[in-house]
Amino acid sequence: VNGGTLTITGSSNTAGDIVVKGGVLTGQSSSSLGTGQVKISGGQVNVANGFSNDVILGGGTLNLGGNSSTSKITLNGGSILGGQNYNGNITIGSGGGLDAASNLKGNIDLQGGSSLFGNGTVGKVNLGSNASLAPGNSIGIINMDSLTIQGGSTLTLEVQNPLGNAGVGYDLLNVIGQLDLSNLSKDKP
């Protein structure tokens, strides 16, 4: 797809990759996009009822809707919208950034040069070496199921009013489950 709009309403047996460079592609069922990878460098892909494809997002927008998925997403650029019911794996590559407002519940692996920011709730997070985590778009709150922090990563917290409320006066990183700091050392705090 390199322009225009394509909507696939039924199932597809396509095993090859789908490349989206522009325009809008909409898959209205979990099998509308076949079984190959979906590679997005521009435009928008809308998935109305979940999907089973692996997605490589280098630009454009992936709009997740419907049910959870077992696929994996690699985010090197662009943005992800929707996703409250997405439970797949997400790898954020160098230069990629994920807004927590997407509310993705899957496992999120932040690689070097990537970032997680904004306000919202996400699943299990691995903050890799040279990756960054910053609650809020200024002051804000990120909730997550668990967090593992690797040495050399960056956590940025902003305080405007220490006597104010969390998310208003200061940033809050709320780790609901396990916080793993075992990979930190005095040489790579």
Side-chain angles (χ1 to χ4, degrees), residues 31-50:
S31 58
S32 290
L33 302 180
T35 59
Q37 288 186 334
V38 177
K39 299 176 180 179
I40 307 167
S41 60
Q44 182 171 329
V45 174
N46 302 313
V47 185
N49 290 311

Side-chain angles (χ1 to χ4, degrees), residues 2-189:
N2 197 18
T5 300
L6 174 61
T7 301
I8 303 171
T9 57
S11 295
S12 170
N13 294 325
T14 303
D17 294 344
I18 295 173
V19 177
V20 179
K21 296 181 179 180
V24 178
L25 171 63
T26 300
Q28 292 188 336
S29 78
S30 60
S31 58
S32 290
L33 302 180
T35 59
Q37 288 186 334
V38 177
K39 299 176 180 179
I40 307 167
S41 60
Q44 182 171 329
V45 174
N46 302 313
V47 185
N49 290 311
F51 63 103
S52 58
N53 309 75
D54 288 346
V55 176
I56 299 173
L57 185 61
T61 302
L62 174 61
N63 189 4
L64 298 170
N67 299 319
S68 62
S69 173
T70 56
S71 65
K72 77 176 179 187
I73 297 172
T74 302
L75 176 65
N76 295 319
S79 60
I80 299 173
L81 304 174
Q84 293 82 350
N85 297 317
Y86 178 79
N87 294 313
N89 294 319
I90 303 131
T91 300
I92 306 173
S94 180
L98 178 63
D99 189 336
S102 59
N103 292 316
L104 297 165
K105 303 295 189 276
N107 297 326
I108 300 171
D109 182 23
L110 291 129
Q111 297 179 342
S114 66
S115 62
L116 175 63
F117 57 89
N119 297 291
T121 301
V122 296
K124 181 180 175 183
V125 175
N126 177 52
L127 185 62
S129 182
N130 297 316
S132 66
L133 174 59
N137 295 312
S138 177
I139 299 291
I141 299 172
I142 293 181
N143 300 296
M144 58 186 60
D145 292 343
S146 67
L147 174 63
T148 300
I149 299 177
Q150 308 296 328
S153 59
T154 302
L155 172 62
T156 302
L157 298 170
E158 186 177 351
V159 177
Q160 288 181 351
N161 178 1
L163 301 177
N165 294 322
V168 178
Y170 53 90
D171 284 336
L172 176 65
L173 176 61
N174 183 25
V175 180
I176 298 162
Q178 181 178 356
L179 173 62
D180 182 351
L181 305 173
S182 64
N183 295 312
L184 300 178
S185 70
K186 65 179 180 131
D187 297 327
K188 278 195 157 186

